[in-house]
Amino acid sequence: MQMQPILVPRRLYQAPPPPIARQVETDEIRLIGVTMHVSRDQEVFGEGEPADQVYKVVRGAVRGFRVLSDGRRQICDFYLPGDVFGIEPSDEHRITAEALTDTVLVVARRSALGDESDGAASRRLWALAMNELRRSQDHALTLGRRSASERVANFLVDMAERLGGGENLELPMSRQDIADYLGLTIETVSRTLTQLQVSGMIKMAGCRSIHLRKPRALTELCA
Amino acid sequence: MQMQPILVPRRLYQAPPPPIARQVETDEIRLIGVTMHVSRDQEVFGEGEPADQVYKVVRGAVRGFRVLSDGRRQICDFYLPGDVFGIEPSDEHRITAEALTDTVLVVARRSALGDESDGAASRRLWALAMNELRRSQDHALTLGRRSASERVANFLVDMAERLGGGENLELPMSRQDIADYLGLTIETVSRTLTQLQVSGMIKMAGCRSIHLRKPRALTELCA
DNA sequence: GTTTCGCCTTGATCTTTATCAACCGGACCG
DNA sequence: CGGTCCGGTTGATAAAGATCAAGGCGAAAC
């Protein structure tokens, strides 16, 4: 058994590329649609419902998840302000979407985004779908091969970047949501965050307000 | 409570030697491109290379995977005869593709599949991309929330269906590949298969030839 | 035919994470 | 002001799976 100290990575972690697709969303995608208010824990759409609409988060946040027959839940992704969700591989939703907090969405028919006769719109839809694919593949890598502390570090760095608040983040989700996203239990998430705080990498001010004190070290922890 | 040191994994991914000259020949069948022969463990494309081509498996099989900086490997998917791969979220490959066995592929430029001016081709490309997304999401659910035996059962049922040999399957991949696909170790995969055999659900004849004796029970095990 | 090598299996033990349980602290309420 | 509710934290213990180690088997090499 060889327990080794933290190694200097051979190849320094490269920050993920700028969120092209989200820029596309923010800058180019103006959904023509209806504004919709969803309160905390309310369902936006459920598994099995027809997937003919897309949603853009204006304010608040959403979790998209799947549930095994015995109740185990896996959150596929969180959707934050600016994100578009609801694009799915079939004409029926395979995931369920629920608001994390009181949330404002814009809803449009999917055809409003990806008409074949409109090259630009079609490219936008493609970019959104490919962004989903990229994130799902990243997620699978995390779930298959990263340790609990690597998962949590990854999560914090990703959220900090996506929420855009620099090194301060206000998490819109509970510990249980984080656990179900990272494939861990709520206790492991809690303990790992405590460890990160003890090691000086983060500082928690209330359980949803987290300051990244050593973003570089955290990034290296991501593996 | 203290930060735990990082455990350096025992098995690290080593890139195979550079490919020798590929034998390429034109394809007289109606498939859209050039036929390409790739021998076992040879790379089809690597991370960072331009992703402007798509590949269809004619014979053999391919693994698509990503590697963490310290060598941990996660196989995203296996591609079997009839499958199309190489569609990626950006114009650079994020995954590496290697032949599992001696493999025959047909290669085409991606534009040959998804020209915007061609509605049918565009829909085909969309369907392929959405299939990737669906499989990636299923994979994330498995990696995040299923136990080792559920993962292996899932894998067997999925492979049996995709390989099309009814309840008899000839696996084209090693135990290590299965382990890296399922987020487990080779030992756990081996033990789990043995357990399934002891419980009468499968019968192994040589380690790559598996007969599903109780497909229904296996399916229920999938969760 | 025998040796060798790579892959697989099995056993023993260890580590990580899950589970079970208790407690904490802020928000809301009587 | 005290009670209760709810999410979060912490502690003790258990379980699943990883790691370390040894041996087996079959295909290719000698």
Side-chain angles (χ1 to χ4, degrees):
Chain A
M1 170 194 50
Q2 293 178 315
M3 189 82 102
Q4 302 198 0
I6 295 177
L7 292 179
V8 176
R10 277 162 260 162
R11 176 168 67 81
L12 282 184
Y13 175 79
Q14 302 236 320
I20 298 162
R22 282 198 295 119
Q23 272 176 356
V24 169
E25 295 164 27
T26 309
D27 299 345
E28 293 181 30
I29 294 194
R30 308 226 190 290
L31 283 183
I32 313 288
V34 183
T35 300
M36 177 178 167
H37 292 249
V38 188
S39 47
R40 184 169 183 271
D41 291 333
Q42 201 186 329
E43 190 176 294
V44 179
F45 54 77
E47 190 188 334
E49 295 179 9
D52 52 355
Q53 300 188 125
V54 293
Y55 304 80
K56 178 169 176 166
V57 180
V58 176
R59 217 169 33 242
V62 172
R63 62 177 164 254
F65 61 90
R66 301 177 64 196
V67 182
L68 293 179
S69 52
D70 67 356
R72 281 172 285 177
R73 182 178 74 161
Q74 177 66 48
I75 292 183
C76 305
D77 213 345
F78 297 111
Y79 300 103
L80 307 178
D83 291 342
V84 174
F85 65 100
I87 296 169
E88 298 221 20
S90 68
D91 51 7
E92 268 188 15
H93 284 295
R94 306 170 66 249
I95 71 169
T96 300
E98 287 175 358
L100 287 169
T101 60
D102 291 355
T103 293
V104 180
L105 305 170
V106 175
V107 198
R109 318 207 110 259
R110 190 160 95 182
S111 56
L113 243 185
D115 195 313
E116 277 159 19
S117 63
D118 178 353
S122 163
R123 266 196 302 278
R124 274 192 310 259
L125 183 59
W126 180 259
L128 289 170
M130 288 297 98
N131 194 45
E132 289 271 319
L133 177 58
R134 180 210 334 239
R135 288 188 56 81
S136 180
Q137 287 175 343
D138 287 351
H139 199 196
L141 175 59
T142 291
L143 295 174
R145 285 297 178 222
R146 282 196 245 249
S147 70
S149 52
E150 290 168 343
R151 294 181 202 199
V152 171
N154 248 289
F155 173 75
L156 291 175
V157 169
D158 180 49
M159 288 303 294
E161 184 179 327
R162 292 174 69 200
L163 285 168
E167 282 138 23
N168 290 301
L169 53 161
E170 277 311 311
L171 295 176
M173 72 288 288
S174 70
R175 294 288 187 268
Q176 186 63 63
D177 287 319
I178 299 173
D180 285 350
Y181 178 66
L182 296 178
L184 301 170
T185 60
I186 184 176
E187 293 96 333
T188 298
V189 171
S190 182
R191 276 186 250 271
T192 305
L193 285 168
T194 301
Q195 283 171 24
L196 290 176
Q197 177 161 254
V198 168
S199 74
M201 296 206 194
I202 66 172
K203 176 91 184 79
M204 291 187 271
C207 58
R208 294 192 176 209
S209 177
I210 300 187
H211 172 65
L212 309 188
R213 295 180 59 187
K214 299 181 183 170
R216 174 173 287 265
L218 267 179
T219 301
E220 272 164 26
L221 228 191
C222 289
Chain B
M1 200 173 294
Q2 287 221 316
M3 276 300 300
Q4 313 252 342
I6 287 182
L7 195 66
V8 175
R10 177 170 51 106
R11 191 195 59 82
L12 303 180
Y13 173 73
Q14 298 275 329
I20 49 178
R22 292 167 181 168
Q23 188 185 346
V24 177
E25 61 189 40
T26 39
D27 173 42
E28 61 261 301
I29 319 176
R30 56 193 152 79
L31 289 174
I32 13 106
V34 181
T35 301
M36 175 177 166
H37 291 248
V38 188
S39 48
R40 183 169 185 272
D41 291 334
Q42 202 185 331
E43 189 175 296
V44 180
F45 54 77
E47 190 186 336
E49 295 179 9
D52 52 355
Q53 300 187 126
V54 294
Y55 304 80
K56 179 169 178 167
V57 181
V58 175
R59 216 169 31 243
V62 172
R63 62 177 163 253
F65 61 89
R66 300 177 64 196
V67 181
L68 292 179
S69 53
D70 67 359
R72 282 171 286 178
R73 182 178 75 162
Q74 177 65 47
I75 292 183
C76 305
D77 213 346
F78 297 111
Y79 300 103
L80 307 178
D83 290 342
V84 174
F85 66 100
I87 297 168
E88 298 222 20
S90 68
D91 50 7
E92 268 188 14
H93 284 295
R94 306 170 64 250
I95 73 170
T96 299
E98 287 175 358
L100 287 170
T101 61
D102 291 355
T103 293
V104 180
L105 305 171
V106 175
V107 197
R109 319 207 110 258
R110 190 160 94 180
S111 56
L113 243 185
D115 196 311
E116 277 158 20
S117 63
D118 178 352
S122 168
R123 266 196 301 278
R124 214 153 51 219
L125 183 60
W126 178 260
L128 289 169
M130 287 298 97
N131 194 46
E132 289 271 319
L133 177 58
R134 182 210 331 261
R135 288 188 57 82
S136 179
Q137 287 175 343
D138 287 351
H139 199 197
L141 175 58
T142 290
L143 295 173
R145 286 295 178 224
R146 281 196 245 251
S147 70
S149 50
E150 290 168 344
R151 293 181 203 199
V152 171
N154 248 288
F155 173 74
L156 292 176
V157 170
D158 180 48
M159 288 303 293
E161 184 177 326
R162 293 173 69 202
L163 286 168
E167 280 138 25
N168 289 302
L169 53 162
E170 278 309 312
L171 295 177
M173 72 287 288
S174 70
R175 294 288 187 267
Q176 187 62 64
D177 287 319
I178 299 173
D180 284 350
Y181 177 67
L182 296 179
L184 300 170
T185 59
I186 184 175
E187 293 95 335
T188 297
V189 171
S190 183
R191 276 186 250 270
T192 304
L193 286 168
T194 300
Q195 282 169 26
L196 290 177
Q197 177 161 253
V198 168
S199 74
M201 295 206 191
I202 67 172
K203 177 91 184 79
M204 291 187 272
C207 58
R208 294 191 176 212
S209 178
I210 299 185
H211 172 65
L212 309 189
R213 294 180 59 187
K214 300 181 184 170
R216 174 174 285 265
L218 268 179
T219 303
E220 271 163 28
L221 227 190
C222 288

